[in-house]
């Protein structure tokens, strides 16, 4: 048994922490529950018989299990018999404290064997508590009769069940899946006896419809020939829907120990199968490595010549296709090979580790297929790949430069030609001869803007010429077309410069005639524009929609509106001054007989526009007054609703009540499971009773929502908070209830992973998935504590050696130095048997039959040893 650390705290009862699930009392022994009467009866009889089967070795026995152990003397004697160890000297007195001391000595001894006792104290045994006494005896049976049972990679209960399944598998009408209903018909017990002692039972004469007869037959034969006392009653088993599992396990474990000697050959065969399976797996990994290495090296050999081909293409499309092929190689073809290379290295290291851990010689790949050979080949591939990529990019950049320059030349030429279209005709016009002064000034400004634009385009013309020159230097295939187009642009540019200067001279000559009127137009525009903007802003503010949530906010808007009305007299003065400038222009035109066009060249605003907008502003002022007063009335009504809701909330104490209830749910829940559940139900009823008050508050809240009131400074509580808190209360009740019921001793995968990591395991996704298939083969989504312990036991098991394999073969060969083909095929599975037959050499020695095989040299070869 693997030693584990144990922490013991002594009080009036025993509380012992231990990591072995089968050392822990099962939940069946909870002191607050009662045993099923039928199960209690079966356990009494079975456990009493089991105890007597050991006590009789000391010349004594018990009659009443809860009475005969009360003084602790026979309990200590039982432990000495089954353990072979001496316990401390018992107290001889007959008083209660003497009995408690003796029982405590027995319990201390049980704890020293790594057993976890929960809720079992010496006082309860001394008081004759039958349930605690049965629980204690069951714990002793688990520790000394069941725990050390080991079959293949399973132990204890699972090991015993697997042993029964293996032994009874060939028998008809027998399907052992558990330790209760699988044994009701008695055939499983008879099958166990027949498997090891076929001379005691004629299995072919047994009938499934005679369970009592089958059970009695098994009980009588076991007691008479196997020295296994009768621990069960056939009628109790048959008449109980589900026989007691502990009673059945106790009785079946006696058969296991009775037939333990016959298991030696089976254990030896299992050891050989395990060793051969490891060897077969290693050979498979070696073959996979060789195959994967050959395929990867062949792919590298085929790929390098393609990457070394540096013949340049003449067109950009062809070079881009080469680049796309290279990218396809990088995206599609290379990544799987990268993964194969990594997997190859992983397989190699994994194989070497497995060989080292199993004492096998290191694996040496074929010549040229070492990991270093593959790494060198891969390095060469990446060097060629890097050179090919650089060449591709250089060639593409060169072709891109040519295409870019040609496209840039065409684009700039098109933009320049589009800009110059109609410019020559525009410059040749004489529209200034019949224009007014303002039109002339506008034409002058327009011409100045054109001159600026013309100067700005000088850079573009120079760029066009420079690009054309570079294309000629790079021997562009269509250079003739480029030169012709460039020369046409240069000639047109010179002509535009000449026409521009001529038009400027003409405009300056006419402009002086209209300076006075122009100055007045300009002054009107300067004063009209800001005044017009002010009126636009005023109209926008007067028509602006507003959203307020309190009386303070609407009072602020009324104050701002009053301030605006105070500025209207000053604005009226500005309006009269602006219209005065327009009247001055009309007076000058009339005096000097000037024909005005009626359009101000500096602004689109007219005196009529100013007058119209002014009238509009005056119209909107009283309308704004009315809107503000209506909003004042609405906000006053909203304020009354707020105060009404706050008053009802404080009177009914709605928010505080719900908050208080939630704090009780989260803090005051304590005590036993039943008390906590009762408390939760009481809190739930309190919340239901308060619903009428919540409904009244909800009515007021509905009015507030319809009025679009979003805050209430008169109370800290809101209906949403109350309702959300109540919802959380319901959720909390449900969560608390579920948590109280979740005591099943299981771990979810995340907890299991965290446990493994804390013990130093370096887990990847693949490794963790493999471990989960071992601890959770049925994919239940949880890991039992026993499955965890079984996994750790397997992980820490010692490695088989060549000497152990030889000893196992010697058992199969009946202590001979050779083994026959018939013995291998009889004792081993077909696959492992053929594996041994094809690899073992012929045995040479005196008095050996034809076909004898040398298992000694074969065992040495498995571990790379030449001689032992």
């Amino acid at each position: 048994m693997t030693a584990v650390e144990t922490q013991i705290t002594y009080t009036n009862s025993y509380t012992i922490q231990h990591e072995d699930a089968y050392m822990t009392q099962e939940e069946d022994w909870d002191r607050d529950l009662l045993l099923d009467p039928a199960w209690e009866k079966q356990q009494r009889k079975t456990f009493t018989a089991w105890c007597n089967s050991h006590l009789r070795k000391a010349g004594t026995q018990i009659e009443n299990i809860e009475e005969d152990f009360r003084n602790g003397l026979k309990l200590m004697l039982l432990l000495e018999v089954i353990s072979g160890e001496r316990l401390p000297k018992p107290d001889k007195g007959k008083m209660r404290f003497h009995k408690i001391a003796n029982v405590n000595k027995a319990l201390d001894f049980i704890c020293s064997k790594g057993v976890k006792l929960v809720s079992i104290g010496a006082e309860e045994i001394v008081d004759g508590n039958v349930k605690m006494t049965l629980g204690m005896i069951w714990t002793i049976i688990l520790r000394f009769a069941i725990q050390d049972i080991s079959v293949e990679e399973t132990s204890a209960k699972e090991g015993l069940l697997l042993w029964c399944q293996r032994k009874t598998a060939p028998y008809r009408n027998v399907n052992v899946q558990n330790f209760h209903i699988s044994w009701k018909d008695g055939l499983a017990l008879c099958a166990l006896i027949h498997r090891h002692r076929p001379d005691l039972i004629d299995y072919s004469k047994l009938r499934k419809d005679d369970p009592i007869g089958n059970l009695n037959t098994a009980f009588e034969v076991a007691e008479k020939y196997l020295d296994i006392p009768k621990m069960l009653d056939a009628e109790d088993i048959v008449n109980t829907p589900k026989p007691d599992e502990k009673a059945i396990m106790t009785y079946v474990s006696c058969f296991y120990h009775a037939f333990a000697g016959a298991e030696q050959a089976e254990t030896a065969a299992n050891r050989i199968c395990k060793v051969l399976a490891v060897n077969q797996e290693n050979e498979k990994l070696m073959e996979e490595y060789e195959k994967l290495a050959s395929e990867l090296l062949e792919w590298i050999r085929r790929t390098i010549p393609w990457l070394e081909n540096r013949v340049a293409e003449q067109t950009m499309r062809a070079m881009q296709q080469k680049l796309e092929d290279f990218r396809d190689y990088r995206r599609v073809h290379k990544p799987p090979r990268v993964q194969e290379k990594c997997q190859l290295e992983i397989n190699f290291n994994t194989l070497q580790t497995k060989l080292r851990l199993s004492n096998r010689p290191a694996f040496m790949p074929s010549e040229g297929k070492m990991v270093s050979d593959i790494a060198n080949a891969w390095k060469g591939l990446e060097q060629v790949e890097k050179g090919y990529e650089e060449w591709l990019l250089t060639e593409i950049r060169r072709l891109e430069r040519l295409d870019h320059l040609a496209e840039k030349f065409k684009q700039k030429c098109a933009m320049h030609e589009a800009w110059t279209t109609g410019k020559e005709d525009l410059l040749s016009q004489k529209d200034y001869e019949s224009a007014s002064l303002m039109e002339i000034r506008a034409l002058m400004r327009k011409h100045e803007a054109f001159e600026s634009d013309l100067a700005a385009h000088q850079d573009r013309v120079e760029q066009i010429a420079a690009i054309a020159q570079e294309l000629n230097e790079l021997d562009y295939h269509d250079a003739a077309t480029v030169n012709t187009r460039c020369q046409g642009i240069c000639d047109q540019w010179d002509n535009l410069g000449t026409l521009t200067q001529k038009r400027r001279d003409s405009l300056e000559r006419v402009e002086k005639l209209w300076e006075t009127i122009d100055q007045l137009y300009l002054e009107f525009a300067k004063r009209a524009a800001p005044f017009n903007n002010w009126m636009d802003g005023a109209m926008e503010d007067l028509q602006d929609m507003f959203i307020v949530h309190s009386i303070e906010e609407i009072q602020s808007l009324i104050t701002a509106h009053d301030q605006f009305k105070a500025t209207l007299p000053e604005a009226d003065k500005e309006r009269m001054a602006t219209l005065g400038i327009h009247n001055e222009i009309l007076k000058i035109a009339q005096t000097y007989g000037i024909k005005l066009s009626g359009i101000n060249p500096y602004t689109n605003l007219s005196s009529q526009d100013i007058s119209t907008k002014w009238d509009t502003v005056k119209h909107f002022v009283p309308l704004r007054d009315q809107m503000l007063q209506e909003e004042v009335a609405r906000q006053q009504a909203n304020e009354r609703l707020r105060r009404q809701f706050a008053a009802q909330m404080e009177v009914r104490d709605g928010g505080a009540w719900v908050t208080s209830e939630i704090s009780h749910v989260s803090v005051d829940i304590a005590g036993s499971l039943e008390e906590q559940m009762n408390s939760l139900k009481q809190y739930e009823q309190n919340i239901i009773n308060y619903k009428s008050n919540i409904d009244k508050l909800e009515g007021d809240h509905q009015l507030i929502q319809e009025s679009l009131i979003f805050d209430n400074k008169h109370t800290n509580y809101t209906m949403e908070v109350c309702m959300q808190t109540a919802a959380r209360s319901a959720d909390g009740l449900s969560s608390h209830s579920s948590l109280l019921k979740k005591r099943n001793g299981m771990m979810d995968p995340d907890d299991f992973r965290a446990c493994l990591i804390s013990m130093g395991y370096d887990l990847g996704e693949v490794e963790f998935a493999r471990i989960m298939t071992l601890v959770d083969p049925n994919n239940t989504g949880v890991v039992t504590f026993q499955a965890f312990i079984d996994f750790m036991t397997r992980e820490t098991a010692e490695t088989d050696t060549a000497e152990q394999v030889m000893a196992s073969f010697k058992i199969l060969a009946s202590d001979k130095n050779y083994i026959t083909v018939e013995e291998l095929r009889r004792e081993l599975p077909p696959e492992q048997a053929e594996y041994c037959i094809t690899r073992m050499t012929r045995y040479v020695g005196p008095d050996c039959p034809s076909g004898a095989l040398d298992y000694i040299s074969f065992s040495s070869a498995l571990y790379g040893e030449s001689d032992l």
Side-chain angles (χ1 to χ4, degrees):
M1 180 182 70
T2 304
V4 294
E5 294 183 1
T6 305
Q7 176 185 355
I8 306 176
T9 302
Y10 291 91
T11 60
N12 289 334
S13 61
Y14 284 75
T15 303
I16 305 169
Q17 304 300 324
H18 196 280
E19 294 182 355
D20 193 331
Y22 284 100
M23 293 295 91
T24 304
Q25 280 188 283
E26 300 180 3
E27 292 181 355
D28 299 355
W29 302 108
D30 193 316
R31 62 169 61 247
D32 296 326
L33 302 178
L34 295 176
L35 283 174
D36 183 270
W39 287 8
E40 181 178 339
K41 178 182 179 182
Q42 294 174 22
Q43 288 182 17
R44 279 174 176 269
K45 180 176 180 61
T46 302
F47 292 177
T48 300
W50 184 86
C51 292
N52 286 334
S53 68
H54 293 285
L55 288 173
R56 67 184 180 185
K57 299 175 184 177
T60 186
Q61 65 178 9
I62 62 173
E63 298 295 333
N64 189 313
I65 194 167
E66 70 269 23
E67 291 294 329
D68 294 347
F69 284 139
R70 290 179 63 180
N71 59 10
L73 297 177
K74 289 188 178 181
L75 178 59
M76 295 177 68
L77 181 61
L78 174 65
L79 292 173
E80 288 184 345
V81 172
I82 63 177
S83 67
E85 299 178 23
R86 295 291 297 176
L87 270 71
K89 186 177 181 181
D91 293 357
K92 295 300 184 179
K94 296 183 179 181
M95 299 183 70
R96 176 179 174 81
F97 75 89
H98 292 121
K99 297 177 181 180
I100 292 176
N102 290 335
V103 174
N104 271 328
K105 292 176 182 179
L107 295 179
D108 288 344
F109 179 80
I110 295 173
C111 294
S112 69
K113 297 303 178 180
V115 178
K116 178 182 177 183
L117 295 175
V118 179
S119 302
I120 296 180
E123 292 86 351
E124 293 167 316
I125 305 300
V126 171
D127 292 338
N129 187 317
V130 62
K131 191 169 78 69
M132 295 297 107
T133 303
L134 291 175
M136 178 189 66
I137 298 302
W138 171 240
T139 303
I140 294 173
I141 294 172
L142 278 177
R143 171 59 186 85
F144 294 99
I146 297 177
Q147 178 191 345
D148 293 334
I149 295 175
S150 177
V151 177
E152 297 185 5
E153 295 182 356
T154 61
S155 60
K157 176 182 177 180
E158 284 73 19
L160 181 61
L161 183 63
L162 181 60
W163 178 78
C164 296
Q165 291 172 339
R166 293 288 174 81
K167 294 302 180 181
T168 61
Y171 291 85
R172 59 182 174 82
N173 296 328
V174 177
N175 182 17
V176 178
Q177 297 296 326
N178 48 58
F179 286 107
H180 37 81
I181 60 175
S182 296
W183 304 84
K184 288 188 65 173
D185 57 10
L187 292 178
L189 287 173
C190 293
L192 282 179
I193 298 173
H194 184 268
R195 177 63 184 267
H196 296 90
R197 293 290 302 275
D199 57 310
L200 299 180
I201 292 178
D202 187 356
Y203 188 85
S204 61
K205 294 183 179 181
L206 299 177
R207 293 183 297 109
K208 186 175 180 64
D209 58 356
D210 184 21
I212 293 180
N214 298 336
L215 289 169
N216 285 328
T217 298
F219 296 160
E220 292 169 3
V221 170
E223 187 174 27
K224 182 176 181 180
Y225 299 100
L226 303 178
D227 197 27
I228 299 175
K230 183 178 180 181
M231 301 181 183
L232 301 167
D233 287 330
E235 290 78 9
D236 292 341
I237 295 176
V238 173
N239 296 329
T240 303
K242 181 181 177 182
D244 181 66
E245 184 181 57
K246 298 174 180 61
I248 299 294
M249 283 180 63
T250 302
Y251 188 64
V252 172
S253 67
C254 295
F255 286 86
Y256 174 88
H257 293 294
F259 298 133
E263 304 300 322
Q264 191 175 22
E266 181 177 351
T267 303
N270 291 335
R271 182 185 297 276
I272 293 173
C273 290
K274 179 181 178 182
V275 172
L276 296 180
V278 171
N279 222 53
Q280 288 173 314
E281 182 181 0
N282 292 339
E283 289 181 358
K284 182 178 179 182
L285 289 174
M286 294 175 189
E287 293 173 359
E288 290 178 353
Y289 176 89
E290 292 283 344
K291 179 181 177 182
L292 194 58
S294 300
E295 292 175 352
L296 185 58
L297 290 172
E298 176 61 21
W299 178 79
I300 294 174
R301 184 189 65 78
R302 294 195 313 267
T303 304
I304 288 179
W306 174 69
L307 295 173
E308 291 176 340
N309 181 16
R310 308 292 169 82
V311 179
E313 301 292 343
Q314 298 300 318
T315 64
M316 186 64 182
R317 176 173 295 183
M319 287 304 297
Q320 286 178 339
Q321 183 59 47
K322 277 184 172 291
L323 179 61
E324 188 60 29
D325 293 341
F326 180 74
R327 289 174 176 170
D328 187 68
Y329 156 81
R330 280 271 183 88
R331 292 192 303 262
V332 179
H333 301 290
K334 186 179 178 182
R337 302 300 178 177
V338 173
Q339 187 175 0
E340 289 178 4
K341 176 177 175 295
C342 295
Q343 189 62 44
L344 194 68
E345 295 173 354
I346 293 172
N347 290 351
F348 181 83
N349 294 331
T350 301
L351 177 59
Q352 298 292 42
T353 302
K354 287 187 174 182
L355 291 172
R356 183 170 62 254
L357 293 176
S358 58
N359 298 325
R360 266 66 165 187
F363 169 59
M364 182 63 65
S366 303
E367 184 178 358
K369 298 180 182 178
M370 294 289 294
V371 172
S372 58
D373 297 330
I374 295 173
N376 291 333
W378 191 266
K379 182 178 179 181
L381 172 69
E382 291 186 331
Q383 290 175 347
V384 174
E385 177 182 315
K386 181 179 180 182
Y388 184 77
E389 182 181 20
E390 293 174 350
W391 172 77
L392 272 177
L393 295 176
T394 301
E395 286 297 316
I396 288 175
R397 280 194 292 267
R398 184 182 68 84
L399 292 176
E400 281 180 344
R401 178 63 179 167
L402 279 176
D403 290 347
H404 173 70
L405 286 173
E407 186 63 27
K408 187 175 181 181
F409 177 83
K410 294 176 183 179
Q411 183 181 6
K412 287 186 176 294
C413 288
M415 292 176 63
H416 179 78
E417 290 166 352
W419 180 81
T420 58
T421 299
K423 292 295 189 294
E424 293 174 306
D425 294 337
L426 181 63
L427 293 172
S428 300
Q429 289 180 357
K430 295 184 179 181
D431 48 352
Y432 52 83
E433 294 180 350
S434 58
S436 64
L437 177 60
M438 297 307 295
E439 290 172 341
I440 291 173
R441 188 173 293 277
L443 289 174
M444 190 64 187
R445 299 295 181 268
K446 184 176 181 182
H447 186 71
E448 290 174 353
F450 173 77
E451 287 177 332
S452 299
D453 198 10
L454 185 68
H457 279 74
Q458 178 68 34
D459 290 340
R460 180 177 292 158
V461 175
E462 293 175 356
Q463 290 173 4
I464 290 173
I467 293 172
Q469 182 179 354
E470 188 173 358
L471 287 172
N472 280 276
E473 292 174 355
L474 294 176
D475 196 21
Y476 183 59
H477 66 278
D478 199 14
T481 303
V482 170
N483 293 335
T484 301
R485 194 171 185 182
C486 181
Q487 187 60 47
I489 289 173
C490 292
D491 294 341
Q492 185 187 37
W493 184 256
D494 293 338
N495 187 40
L496 285 174
T498 302
L499 293 174
T500 299
Q501 186 59 42
K502 288 181 179 181
R503 184 170 177 83
R504 165 171 277 280
D505 295 339
S506 300
L507 289 173
E508 287 178 348
R509 186 175 60 253
V510 177
E511 181 183 11
K512 294 180 181 180
L513 300 174
W514 301 93
E515 288 181 350
T516 303
I517 295 177
D518 177 73
Q519 186 65 34
L520 291 173
Y521 272 137
L522 180 58
E523 185 177 355
F524 176 84
K526 288 181 178 180
R527 300 193 68 163
F531 186 68
N532 181 68
N533 289 338
W534 177 86
M535 289 191 294
D536 287 341
M539 288 191 294
E540 182 179 352
D541 292 341
L542 291 171
Q543 299 178 81
D544 185 28
M545 299 297 296
F546 53 83
I547 299 177
V548 295
H549 302 289
S550 66
I551 294 178
E552 292 78 6
E553 293 177 2
I554 189 61
Q555 289 295 344
S556 176
L557 290 178
I558 292 174
T559 301
H561 183 62
D562 291 341
Q563 292 173 353
F564 167 76
K565 289 191 293 185
T567 64
L568 291 179
E570 188 66 27
D572 190 43
K573 292 179 181 180
E574 179 65 19
R575 178 183 68 87
M576 295 301 296
T578 302
L579 294 179
I581 295 174
H582 178 70
N583 294 332
E584 183 67 19
I585 292 173
L586 295 177
K587 182 178 179 181
I588 292 173
Q590 184 178 5
T591 301
Y592 296 99
I594 297 175
K595 184 179 180 181
L596 300 175
S597 62
I599 299 175
N600 190 327
Y602 300 108
T603 180
N604 293 325
L605 294 172
S606 66
S607 60
Q608 182 62 39
D609 294 335
I610 299 297
S611 298
T612 301
K613 285 191 177 180
W614 177 254
D615 293 338
T616 303
V617 170
K618 292 173 64 177
H619 172 71
F620 283 147
V621 169
L623 294 180
R624 183 71 169 185
D625 287 333
Q626 181 180 355
M627 291 174 61
L628 292 173
Q629 292 304 318
E630 291 175 352
E631 183 62 26
V632 167
R634 192 176 73 86
Q635 288 302 324
Q636 290 174 346
N638 289 349
E639 182 66 14
R640 287 194 295 273
L641 282 175
R642 289 189 183 98
R643 293 179 180 276
Q644 179 178 340
F645 178 81
Q648 293 186 13
M649 179 64 78
E650 295 301 327
V651 169
R652 297 191 175 99
D653 203 15
W657 184 88
V658 175
T659 303
S660 174
E661 288 301 303
I662 298 306
S663 66
H664 287 314
V665 173
S666 59
V667 175
D668 292 346
I669 299 299
S672 65
L673 174 62
E674 182 177 359
E675 292 171 347
Q676 294 183 41
M677 291 299 294
N678 291 335
S679 297
L680 291 174
K681 292 179 180 179
Q682 181 60 45
Y683 290 135
E684 181 179 16
Q685 186 59 44
N686 291 344
I687 292 174
I688 293 172
N689 294 338
Y690 197 78
K691 186 177 183 301
S692 60
N693 293 335
I694 297 295
D695 291 341
K696 294 177 182 178
L697 289 172
E698 179 62 23
D700 292 339
H701 177 66
Q702 182 66 29
L703 293 176
I704 290 176
Q705 287 186 324
E706 292 173 356
S707 299
L708 301 179
I709 299 174
F710 303 107
D711 60 348
N712 193 340
K713 65 182 180 180
H714 303 294
T715 180
N716 293 326
Y717 298 110
T718 65
M719 200 64 202
E720 290 78 3
V721 170
C722 290
M723 298 306 292
Q724 291 172 3
T725 306
R728 288 198 301 271
S729 174
D731 293 342
L733 290 171
S734 177
S735 300
H736 204 120
S737 178
S738 299
L739 180 61
L740 293 174
K741 296 177 181 177
K742 186 178 179 184
R743 297 181 179 173
N744 50 14
M746 298 185 180
M747 293 185 288
D748 59 25
D750 289 339
D751 292 338
F752 181 57
R753 179 195 286 270
C755 183
L756 293 180
I757 292 175
S758 69
M759 292 189 293
Y761 281 79
D762 185 11
L763 295 179
E765 292 299 327
V766 176
E767 177 63 10
F768 184 69
R770 180 190 71 79
I771 294 176
M772 284 300 296
T773 60
L774 298 176
V775 300
D776 187 18
N778 296 326
N779 197 22
T780 61
V782 295
V783 180
T784 65
F785 199 66
Q786 182 56 41
F788 169 76
I789 293 301
D790 294 344
F791 167 74
M792 295 306 301
T793 301
R794 293 196 299 272
E795 289 295 300
T796 57
E798 295 182 354
T799 305
D800 293 317
T801 63
E803 292 83 351
Q804 291 173 324
V805 175
M806 286 186 210
S808 299
F809 272 117
K810 192 169 185 178
I811 293 174
L812 298 185
S814 301
D815 292 331
K816 301 190 296 293
N817 291 331
Y818 59 85
I819 192 167
T820 64
V821 174
E822 292 76 12
E823 288 172 332
L824 286 172
R825 287 175 174 165
R826 182 179 69 247
E827 299 295 339
L828 300 180
E831 183 179 356
Q832 279 75 19
E834 295 303 322
Y835 181 88
C836 294
I837 293 170
T838 57
R839 286 166 173 74
M840 284 186 181
T841 59
R842 184 174 179 276
Y843 178 80
V844 179
D847 302 327
C848 66
S850 176
L853 300 177
D854 186 359
Y855 63 79
I856 296 177
S857 60
F858 174 77
S859 300
S860 300
L862 288 176
Y863 292 88
E865 302 176 6
S866 59
D867 192 10
L868 288 174

